[in-house]
Amino acid sequence: MLPLIERALLMLRRLVSAVVVLLFSVMMAAVLIQIAGRYIFNYSIAQASEIATFCQIWLVLLGAGVAMARGQHVAIDMVPARFSLPWARAALIFIALVSAAFLAVLAWGSQPLLRMGAFQTSPSLQMPMAWMYLCLPVGAAYIALELLLSVILRWNDPFPPPSLDHEEEAI
């Protein structure tokens, strides 16, 4: 059963990483199109600006989960890394609980936006804003999943020194 969960987690992480790369590529293309339209053709392309904005917001929320999976939220770990193992575990749990509470508030607070977004459309693309607002609960859920896995995987060494990429090691 455990290898199946690990395989599913690895597939999810690869999927989210691929989506992040795709979102970044689309965002950069939209920004370049907007710049070209504005300065070469003297015409502002509102859709390109809106696409770039929407991609960036999704990118931030999914990218935060990718950073959590890779242990790259370094600022949270700096002080507790100096603690002894029992205190470091307590700090790890405390930080995870505070982060989870924030993510729960984010997901819960996005519910009115999702309901309102069903009736709103974006100004230039005319797409339902619910698709845009969906990034809040989806991103919060993914970050919370990676946060839980981070606590489990880091129990014996709560605040390891930073590494370049240990995505494969974590699974």
Side-chain angles (χ1 to χ4, degrees):
M1 179 74 170
L2 194 57
L4 181 65
I5 293 172
E6 289 176 348
R7 204 169 334 161
L9 180 60
L10 180 60
M11 287 175 46
L12 176 65
R13 285 179 173 172
R14 286 183 179 165
L15 174 69
V16 172
S17 294
V19 168
V20 165
V21 169
L22 178 68
L23 286 169
F24 185 76
S25 300
V26 170
M27 181 183 72
M28 289 305 299
V31 168
L32 291 174
I33 288 170
Q34 177 69 0
I35 291 170
R38 188 174 297 164
Y39 293 108
I40 296 174
F41 302 112
N42 201 23
Y43 179 75
S44 180
I45 304 168
Q47 292 88 350
S49 177
E50 200 168 280
I51 288 170
T53 301
F54 291 169
C55 284
Q56 183 180 18
I57 294 169
W58 271 95
L59 177 71
V60 165
L61 285 159
L62 292 178
V66 171
M68 182 67 70
R70 295 179 180 193
Q72 294 177 336
H73 287 284
V74 179
I76 295 174
D77 300 347
M78 290 173 60
V79 173
R82 299 183 185 267
F83 293 163
S84 65
L85 184 60
W87 285 104
R89 284 180 177 165
L92 178 69
I93 291 172
F94 177 75
I95 290 168
L97 288 174
V98 170
S99 299
F102 169 76
L103 294 169
V105 168
L106 178 66
W108 182 259
S110 69
Q111 299 309 308
L113 283 174
L114 286 169
R115 286 192 295 276
M116 184 175 52
F119 303 105
Q120 280 184 327
T121 58
S122 64
S124 62
L125 294 174
Q126 295 299 308
M127 68 177 234
M129 286 301 292
W131 288 104
M132 185 53 224
Y133 298 144
L134 191 62
C135 69
L136 296 169
V138 168
Y142 181 62
I143 296 168
L145 172 67
E146 292 294 352
L147 180 66
L148 174 66
L149 293 170
S150 172
V151 169
I152 293 169
L153 294 172
R154 293 168 55 186
W155 186 252
N156 290 328
D157 188 9
F159 301 102
S163 64
L164 293 177
D165 189 12
H166 64 279
E167 182 175 309
E168 299 297 327
E169 294 174 16
I171 296 176

